[in-house]
Amino acid sequence: VADALRAALAAVVGDAHVLADRELVAGYERDWTGRFGGEARLVVRPASTEEVAGVVRACADAGAAIVPQGGNTGLVGGGVPRGGEVVVSLARLDGLEAVDPLAAQVTAGAGVTLEALQGHARAAGLAFAVDYGARSAATVGGMVATNAGGMHVVRYGTMRAQVVGLEAVLADGSVISRLTGLIKDNAGYDLPSLLVGSEGTLGIVTRARLRLVPRLGERATALFAVEGAEAALELFAELRRHVGSLEAVELMFREGIELVEAEGFGSDPFDVPHPAYVLVECAARTDPMDELAEAVDALDVRDVAVASDSNQRAALWALREGLPEAINQRGVPHKLDVSVPLATLPAFADAVRERVAEGEVVLFGHVGDGNLHVNVLGLDPDDETVDQAVLELVAEHGGSVSAEHGIGIAKARWLSLTRSPEEIAAMHAIKRALDPAGLLNPGVLLAAG
Ligand SMILES: Cc1cc2nc3c(=O)[nH]c(=O)nc-3n(C[C@H](O)[C@H](O)[C@H](O)COP(=O)(O)OP(=O)(O)OC[C@H]3O[C@@H](n4cnc5c(N)ncnc54)[C@H](O)[C@@H]3O)c2cc1C
């Protein structure tokens, strides 16, 4: 039977793009954190929407479950096999159409990396609004499927706010396509919006029509040393009120800075250690430094380091962007990416440190979005007691068990902590309607039921 499926897939994409060899397949089987993965039945690498549709039909005929995969930088185990699924890699759908300068939009293939998209937009005098550390590998398809966030959400919103239209292959092999770039289109349900954040469970994204933003050449980057989360929020409130050019507000704590330094990813610019650090970046057409300086003038911060050239800017960002890698170098972390209402963030951070008695807690996040990445190191990766404890705290504080990485496999059993039975029933109804045989990414997002 496996050979029949393999032959059917080879007829669609060519023999060279159906991988069965254990060595070739291995790179698609384990996730970035090393925590999730399993054996793939096969890996298929289609190169066009038509081929993706053919692959889905062949899998549907064989009753074979599919795991869509982009850059495999996802952090919740949703893009790797659990055991026996066909991995459909979208990496070869890497076409980038010419930027439409009038609409300030571009159509990109699912396999285009964030970095390639950013470069393409830049070459046309524009910019793509989403940015984060995995830019060299994360793909448009994966970003759409997870509704990726990143550093600039505070200014431009998440991936959902950038998606003007999508093309996708549904579970029966049919293709839906809305790529004309209509900003106003209220003719019925917004299917692209439904697919954003669906984590490969409702359809396979093949292309996206994306909004671009003005390219802002002047930047001001500063690292503020503050007393703690409360002070970080005060700083943020002031910046939000007065600094129109605000683009990123990232919070780190002492333990994160020490970890990044110890693992060799960056160094603390201050002479004395401080409890918390807020990395702020502003972007505008003319130098935003005065605007930033004016806004923080009256604030009681402990210290500030300002980047005056691109090397210094990179050094400040290395502290923040080195964090996920530094954590990974210490071992397989318990990784929770949560959000809470802004006002409760300091209390939540304190409660996490109190509740997690064992292991090393590393907190950081996109503080303007109420988004904290909670990492716990030094515990058995398979013992989920700590995950349960932290996510219960999230629910108690009125937050969400996933701020930006998605539910994947990792959080499926906790979806009900912050989504109601009625909401989950509606999600199951949508899933059943679009994928009645449950072929697309089974077990991801919605636990069986
Ligand atoms: C160092 C680092 C930093 C990160 N920082 C951030 C951050 O700041 N903000 C943030 O939001 N995320 C962040 N992430 C998480 C990750 O990069 C994003 O979730 C990303 O969007 C995943 O893209 P990908 O192409 O790697 O997708 P994958 O990992 O391949 O897949 C992710 C999910 O999307 C599905 N999928 C992939 N492609 C498709 C497709 N074409 N159609 C349908 N479903 C698909 C998969 O099945 C899976 O469920 C970070 C990751 C790393 C490693």
Side-chain angles (χ1 to χ4, degrees):
V1 184
D3 278 350
L5 176 60
R6 189 172 169 176
L9 292 171
V12 178
V13 300
D15 219 15
H17 296 294
V18 183
L19 315 180
D21 198 83
R22 292 255 52 89
E23 252 172 54
L24 294 177
V25 166
Y28 299 83
E29 289 182 327
R30 189 125 298 267
D31 82 325
W32 192 86
T33 65
R35 185 163 177 209
F36 301 98
E39 279 201 6
R41 179 166 169 179
L42 295 164
V43 174
V44 201
R45 295 168 40 88
S48 65
T49 304
E50 296 68 38
E51 287 190 8
V52 175
V55 164
V56 171
R57 275 194 295 271
C59 288
D61 288 348
I66 290 173
V67 176
Q69 187 179 95
N72 198 11
T73 67
L75 299 172
V76 289
V80 283
R82 278 66 75 183
E85 301 90 345
V86 173
V87 172
V88 179
S89 165
L90 284 307
R92 293 176 68 221
L93 274 75
D94 59 356
L96 264 168
E97 292 179 19
V99 167
D100 175 346
L102 182 60
Q105 295 174 357
V106 67
T107 299
V112 170
T113 64
L114 173 54
E115 196 167 68
L117 174 62
Q118 288 170 336
H120 189 64
R122 207 177 305 124
L126 291 160
F128 185 62
V130 174
D131 190 29
Y132 53 86
R135 62 183 74 78
S136 65
T139 64
V140 165
M143 295 173 69
V144 169
T146 59
N147 186 24
M151 316 296 184
H152 299 161
V153 172
V154 70
R155 183 164 190 171
Y156 298 113
T158 62
M159 198 62 188
R160 173 168 279 116
Q162 323 310 323
V163 173
V164 185
L166 282 184
E167 177 187 80
V169 175
L170 301 182
D172 61 359
S174 59
V175 177
I176 54 171
S177 185
R178 299 203 65 74
L179 293 174
T180 49
L182 295 179
I183 291 292
K184 292 193 163 178
D185 180 6
N186 285 349
Y189 299 147
D190 187 20
L191 299 176
S193 195
L194 183 61
L195 285 164
V196 175
S198 65
E199 299 187 52
T201 63
L202 299 180
I204 300 184
V205 175
T206 48
R207 283 194 289 173
R209 181 81 177 170
L210 300 166
R211 149 176 109 110
L212 301 174
V213 297
R215 194 174 110 194
L216 303 169
E218 298 294 325
R219 280 172 190 278
T221 310
L223 186 71
F224 293 89
V226 294
E227 211 60 60
E230 197 81 55
L233 283 186
E234 275 166 28
L235 172 63
F236 169 61
E238 209 59 25
L239 295 172
R240 171 131 80 185
R241 233 190 322 270
H242 299 296
V243 184
S245 60
L246 186 65
E247 196 159 277
V249 194
E250 297 292 315
L251 173 64
M252 294 162 279
F253 293 93
R254 184 77 228 135
E255 77 273 355
I257 300 293
E258 279 171 12
L259 180 64
V260 166
E261 284 198 309
E263 297 298 332
F265 288 96
S267 62
D268 189 339
F270 302 115
D271 296 334
V272 294
H274 296 282
Y277 294 69
V278 185
L279 179 59
V280 173
E281 188 156 279
C282 301
R285 287 215 185 277
T286 53
D287 189 355
M289 188 49 87
D290 287 349
E291 190 186 18
L292 175 59
E294 229 169 83
V296 296
D297 200 30
L299 285 179
D300 185 21
V301 295
R302 291 169 64 112
D303 207 346
V304 59
V306 175
S308 50
D309 60 33
S310 61
N311 284 342
Q312 287 178 7
R313 174 177 178 254
L316 293 185
W317 272 106
L319 285 170
R320 169 61 183 83
E321 295 202 325
L323 259 169
E325 296 258 18
I327 287 169
N328 255 26
Q329 292 208 358
R330 284 285 170 93
V332 177
H334 285 261
K335 224 176 201 355
L336 301 154
D337 153 47
V338 303
S339 60
V340 290
L342 262 184
T344 69
L345 192 136
F348 171 73
D350 289 346
V352 168
R353 294 189 196 283
E354 229 166 79
R355 184 79 61 95
V356 181
E358 286 171 53
E360 189 189 340
V361 175
V362 184
L363 299 180
F364 63 99
H366 311 295
V367 68
D369 315 327
N371 180 184
L372 273 187
H373 298 314
V374 179
N375 292 266
V376 186
L377 279 158
L379 299 181
D380 175 0
D382 296 324
D383 179 356
E384 295 191 317
T385 315
V386 72
D387 307 57
Q388 173 83 26
V390 172
L391 295 178
E392 278 173 4
L393 280 176
V394 170
E396 283 166 28
H397 286 81
S400 167
V401 295
S402 171
E404 50 178 21
H405 299 161
I407 293 293
I409 289 293
K411 309 291 173 336
R413 56 181 276 225
W414 292 298
L415 182 65
S416 60
L417 272 180
T418 59
R419 300 302 294 261
S420 69
E422 293 78 5
E423 285 177 300
I424 293 173
M427 292 186 206
H428 276 292
I430 293 168
K431 172 71 175 169
R432 273 195 304 274
L434 288 181
D435 181 17
L439 293 177
L440 291 177
N441 236 354
V444 164
L445 210 165
L446 297 168

